[in-house]
Amino acid sequence: MSPRDSQRAKVYDAEQLVRGVFDRADEHGNRTVELYGSHLTLPIERRFATVDSVQTYANKVLGLNWVRAQWDRAGVAVRVRSRAGTTAAHYEVEDAVLAVPLHTGGTAWALRELVVLHELTHHLEPAPASVAPHGPEFCSRYLDLVDGVIGPEAALVLRATMLGCGVRLGSG
């Protein structure tokens, strides 16, 4: 029996806020945000058009030398597929499948880098998983991925937002 996923809602709330920050930066063409008195320039968050483009991206992330050196599960291939539902992306641990909803109702909210990195973070969980799916260990691993792949500014915004939403982070 896996531990209770007690901070799932807090993690999702933080992610939604951060996606909003990136969306506004894209809409207004101003990538500079203020965070606790410091001005940061947000990096570009990649967007995807197809399952194939998400698959290519996932393969490249898992193939990065530093990712392979840090997490054994990076050596396990992940398969990306479309998901019929529109409200969530998810990771299927049994078959190493990342399922993402495609364009629905004029939006493609899940076809973006932050969402794909979230699901890849689940993939990198050491097996067998003995911690909560969105627990402190997951959150620290997610921040490491965001920092190394999107950039330290994105990780700082995500970290600050997670902490502001009451998310606990791991010590590793």
Side-chain angles (χ1 to χ4, degrees):
M1 183 173 180
S2 64
R4 187 170 168 268
D5 198 8
S6 61
Q7 63 180 24
R8 177 182 180 198
K10 293 175 183 178
V11 170
Y12 288 176
D13 288 347
E15 287 179 315
Q16 185 172 358
L17 289 169
V18 171
R19 288 193 308 265
V21 169
F22 275 86
D23 288 344
R24 283 187 297 284
D26 289 343
E27 288 169 14
H28 300 294
N30 182 4
R31 307 216 61 81
T32 302
V33 297
E34 185 176 332
L35 182 69
Y36 297 112
S38 294
H39 293 273
L40 304 172
T41 301
L42 293 176
I44 301 291
E45 180 194 10
R46 292 167 185 91
R47 305 294 176 117
F48 308 102
T50 64
V51 167
D52 288 341
S53 61
V54 175
Q55 182 71 64
T56 298
Y57 175 80
N59 293 346
K60 287 182 179 182
V61 169
L62 294 177
L64 292 168
N65 289 338
W66 70 270
V67 171
R68 286 189 174 260
Q70 194 160 348
W71 297 291
D72 292 340
R73 293 262 312 154
V76 176
V78 68
R79 183 175 65 84
V80 179
R81 70 167 178 84
S82 64
R83 183 177 193 279
T86 61
T87 58
H90 71 265
Y91 176 71
E92 301 164 1
V93 69
E94 309 80 35
D95 299 318
V97 172
L98 193 160
V100 292
L102 300 179
H103 297 81
T104 309
T107 66
W109 72 269
L111 294 176
R112 60 189 304 161
E113 198 166 20
L114 286 166
V115 172
V116 174
L117 289 176
H118 174 116
E119 300 309 328
L120 286 175
T121 301
H122 286 301
H123 175 71
L124 295 172
E125 173 68 37
S130 59
V131 295
H134 296 93
E137 301 82 1
F138 167 88
C139 293
S140 292
R141 193 168 52 252
Y142 183 33
L143 287 166
D144 286 346
L145 263 185
V146 169
D147 184 279
V149 176
I150 301 177
E153 299 84 0
L156 179 60
V157 171
L158 181 58
R159 178 184 302 274
T161 305
M162 283 179 155
L163 292 172
C165 287
V167 172
R168 291 179 300 109
L169 305 176
S171 59

